[in-house]
Amino acid sequence: MKQITGIRKMQQHCATLRAQGEKIGFVPTMGHLHEGHLSLVKRSKKECSPTVVSIFVNPTQFAPHEDFDRYPRDINRDKNLLKQLGAEVLFTPKTGQIYPEPFLTSVVVDGITEIGEGVSRPKHFQGVTTIVGKLLNIIQPAVLYVGQKDIQQAVILKKMIHDLNMPVSVKLCPTIREKDGLAMS
Amino acid sequence: MKQITGIRKMQQHCATLRAQGEKIGFVPTMGHLHEGHLSLVKRSKKECSPTVVSIFVNPTQFAPHEDFDRYPRDINRDKNLLKQLGAEVLFTPKTGQIYPEPFLTSVVVDGITEIGEGVSRPKHFQGVTTIVGKLLNIIQPAVLYVGQKDIQQAVILKKMIHDLNMPVSVKLCPTIREKDGLAMS
């Protein structure tokens, strides 16, 4: 598995893959991978080649009362899991490169972001749409894999991609549950 | 010159061109072309092949006090001018296809959009960034040509493209003036 940190390097690598006719499948994550994430990687491995996974704990989708610094991180464990599944590329960009100062642009989906989870986390979905928009522009995958567990997020991302004519298909994948029925998270 | 109206047809045509290794130059316009626009087309013709020009009078960048319906339109005159310059592709999408209901997404650049021209036209630049973002996603050109005359717009578009990692270079082209020195507009 190839790990890439620089944005420009990632863009170049993906451009080369596309020029070779490869169909890139993309799974964006914030790391701390569980069976839910891994099911997306497996689905991408079946349908695309190569599979690109990003691990980026995105500060702009945390609310002020949520603890960004305490979000669980274990990159070595995550890397081992992804290697076992045969993911080809891991993208681990740095926060300072993703949000260089002054960072002024956002992608906003109105209406469906202010309800549900958006009530207690007013800027959360704007953080999600902006980072996923950026990652899609960097990687330019053929297919984006997202879990149905975060159904509001999935609907919002589909809407963004449709409204902005972003050249990627979205596949929603089933929720993976613990033995007791609880959705993995 | 090939004229395309459908978004999907345009995406497919541009994808084919890129797959053939072509370097697409793109000039977005609202039509009613003058020497300023034509200088962008000429520059693109020198540096890229093919040159794609869009004509779309974008309703979302007009303020309520501005008259969208009375914006000058003369598609036959514009087409003749573009043919004379050898532009290869003209994209003339329909408003209903660009903004299907409900259209909920926008690209917003903060800070530099609320000053200058943005004071009297508060949603103007949001309309511009969203439509140019959409056109770039549809066409995926290598180079975007914009005029320095609309310097605030040019700076905002460059910032959007940089912040969102959109895979396109931006070239700012000199202002073209009437004999009396007035910028063409």
Side-chain angles (χ1 to χ4, degrees):
Chain A
M1 184 173 68
K2 189 179 180 75
Q3 183 176 356
I4 298 176
T5 297
I7 290 178
R8 188 169 296 261
K9 203 167 171 190
M10 188 67 190
Q11 287 171 316
Q12 284 164 351
H13 186 64
C14 292
T16 304
L17 292 168
R18 279 193 312 279
Q20 291 165 353
E22 305 284 8
K23 183 183 173 187
I24 300 175
F26 174 46
V27 180
T29 83
M30 299 217 300
H32 194 60
L33 304 178
H34 54 62
E35 285 299 327
H37 301 108
L38 302 182
S39 73
L40 302 179
V41 175
K42 286 176 199 163
R43 175 85 179 270
S44 172
K45 284 287 296 176
K46 262 190 208 155
E47 299 173 348
C48 295
S49 175
T51 290
V52 174
V53 179
S54 66
I55 296 183
F56 179 67
V57 184
N58 179 32
T60 66
Q61 69 193 70
F62 286 78
H65 62 275
E66 292 167 341
D67 202 336
F68 168 73
D69 293 324
R70 288 199 186 182
Y71 191 86
R73 293 161 171 90
D74 190 343
I75 186 72
N76 289 326
R77 178 181 159 281
D78 289 345
K79 277 164 77 169
N80 281 331
L81 288 168
L82 293 172
K83 272 182 206 164
Q84 281 167 34
L85 293 184
E88 283 87 352
V89 184
L90 172 61
F91 183 41
T92 49
K94 303 277 185 211
T95 307
Q97 230 203 335
I98 287 285
Y99 298 117
E101 293 280 349
F103 191 86
L104 301 177
T105 308
S106 47
V107 180
V108 182
V109 179
D110 283 325
I112 50 179
T113 51
E114 293 113 39
I115 55 176
E117 208 175 337
V119 174
S120 60
R121 310 171 85 189
K123 290 278 177 186
H124 170 71
F125 287 118
Q126 181 173 320
V128 172
T129 44
T130 304
I131 187 64
V132 174
K134 281 171 64 76
L135 292 168
L136 290 173
N137 286 337
I138 293 166
I139 295 163
Q140 295 183 67
V143 186
L144 168 69
Y145 291 89
V146 291
Q148 275 178 340
K149 189 208 33 126
D150 302 308
I151 186 67
Q152 191 178 0
Q153 174 172 297
V155 168
I156 289 166
L157 289 175
K158 276 195 84 142
K159 184 65 180 149
M160 167 186 80
I161 286 163
H162 178 259
D163 279 357
L164 294 185
N165 309 101
M166 300 186 81
V168 59
S169 340
V170 184
K171 297 221 173 162
L172 265 62
C173 303
T175 303
I176 305 298
R177 298 182 183 279
E178 308 274 3
K179 276 182 192 157
D180 63 5
L182 193 70
M184 294 214 181
S185 183
Chain B
M1 185 174 67
K2 190 178 178 75
Q3 182 176 357
I4 299 177
T5 296
I7 291 178
R8 187 169 298 262
K9 202 167 172 192
M10 189 67 189
Q11 286 171 317
Q12 284 163 352
H13 185 64
C14 292
T16 304
L17 292 168
R18 280 194 311 279
Q20 290 165 354
E22 305 284 8
K23 182 182 175 189
I24 299 176
F26 173 46
V27 180
T29 83
M30 299 216 298
H32 193 62
L33 304 178
H34 53 63
E35 285 298 326
H37 300 110
L38 301 182
S39 74
L40 302 179
V41 175
K42 285 177 200 163
R43 174 85 179 269
S44 171
K45 285 286 295 177
K46 262 190 208 156
E47 300 174 347
C48 296
S49 174
T51 289
V52 174
V53 179
S54 65
I55 295 182
F56 178 67
V57 184
N58 179 33
T60 67
Q61 68 192 69
F62 285 79
H65 62 275
E66 292 168 340
D67 203 335
F68 168 73
D69 292 325
R70 288 199 187 181
Y71 192 85
R73 294 162 170 90
D74 190 344
I75 187 72
N76 290 326
R77 179 182 158 278
D78 289 345
K79 278 164 76 169
N80 280 332
L81 289 168
L82 293 172
K83 271 183 210 165
Q84 280 167 33
L85 293 184
E88 283 87 353
V89 185
L90 172 62
F91 182 41
T92 48
K94 303 277 185 208
T95 307
Q97 230 202 334
I98 287 285
Y99 298 117
E101 292 283 346
F103 190 85
L104 301 176
T105 307
S106 45
V107 180
V108 182
V109 179
D110 284 325
I112 50 178
T113 52
E114 293 114 38
I115 55 177
E117 207 175 339
V119 174
S120 60
R121 311 171 83 189
K123 291 277 175 187
H124 170 71
F125 287 117
Q126 180 174 321
V128 172
T129 45
T130 303
I131 188 64
V132 174
K134 281 171 65 76
L135 292 169
L136 291 173
N137 286 335
I138 293 166
I139 295 162
Q140 293 182 69
V143 186
L144 169 70
Y145 292 89
V146 291
Q148 276 178 342
K149 186 203 42 122
D150 302 310
I151 186 66
Q152 190 177 2
Q153 173 171 298
V155 167
I156 289 166
L157 289 175
K158 276 195 85 144
K159 185 64 181 149
M160 167 186 82
I161 286 163
H162 179 259
D163 279 357
L164 295 185
N165 308 102
M166 301 186 82
V168 60
S169 340
V170 184
K171 297 221 174 164
L172 264 62
C173 304
T175 303
I176 305 298
R177 299 184 183 276
E178 309 274 2
K179 276 182 193 157
D180 63 3
L182 193 71
M184 294 213 181
S185 181

